[in-house]
């Protein structure tokens, strides 16, 4: 699957990402992945739930993966570990 | 599965819940569920990742469910909708 069908959820309001997912669905994407790290994980779950409950009722969660990623901190410091989530949505 | 094998993740530091999960594993629980709502969802993922990476390496994520729950707001107001997660961990 290409990165095109992936929405990276960050610090914007959830509706910004909801709109991105709905747009991709309307453009015919067969599967969409929501990716988030750290505190944005809660928002990614919000986005998935809002899309499914309010906008695209026939979209289902086809898989959820959690993992740990390393993020480079300030120069010279050890890399930070941060939790990540990947939520796959499919018609 | 009884509620005994469920850890509700809230506002405490992640390590408090990590300790609760590790204790249940050491008491022989075959499967443990982590439940969280709203902003605590990110912390529940942190707890699952910390337990698996640092404390109980042979524990695997056996399932993740996301959902929407209704929470009663102030008296007379409409119920609030909040996202929820349930992470199952199994040996």
């Amino acid at each position: 699957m290409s990165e095109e069908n992936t929405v990276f959820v960050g610090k914007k309001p959830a509706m910004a990402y909801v709109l991105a997912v709905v747009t991709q669905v309307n453009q015919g994407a067969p599967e969409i992945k929501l990716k988030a790290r750290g505190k944005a994980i809660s928002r990614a779950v919000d986005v998935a739930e809002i899309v499914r409950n309010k906008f695209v009722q026939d979209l289902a969660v086809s898989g959820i993966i959690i993992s740990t990623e390393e993020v480079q901190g300030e120069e010279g410091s050890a890399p930070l570990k941060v939790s990540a989530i990947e939520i796959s949505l499919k018609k």
Side-chain angles (χ1 to χ4, degrees), chain A:
Chain A
M1 194 167 78
S2 72
E3 288 287 302
E4 283 176 41
N5 295 335
T6 300
V7 174
F8 292 91
V9 177
K11 293 184 178 179
K12 293 181 197 169
M15 285 308 291
Y17 306 107
V18 169
L19 183 66
V21 173
V22 172
T23 301
Q24 294 207 4
V25 171
N26 289 341
Q27 287 173 349
E31 188 175 30
I32 291 144
K33 284 188 183 179
L34 286 168
K35 289 188 181 184
R37 296 200 289 208
K39 289 184 180 172
I41 288 174
S42 308
R43 192 167 297 121
V45 175
D46 286 343
V47 171
E49 286 295 301
I50 293 169
V51 170
R52 291 200 306 136
N53 292 328
K54 296 203 175 164
F55 294 92
V56 195
Q57 267 83 12
D58 59 346
L59 211 62
V61 174
S62 55
I64 304 176
I65 298 167
I66 60 173
S67 60
T68 302
E69 295 183 359
E70 291 202 343
V71 179
Q72 198 56 52
E74 288 177 46
E75 205 172 327
S77 66
L80 297 168
K81 289 192 173 180
V82 61
S83 300
I85 198 166
E86 189 181 303
I87 303 171
S88 299
L89 298 170
K90 207 170 183 176
K91 280 214 177 189

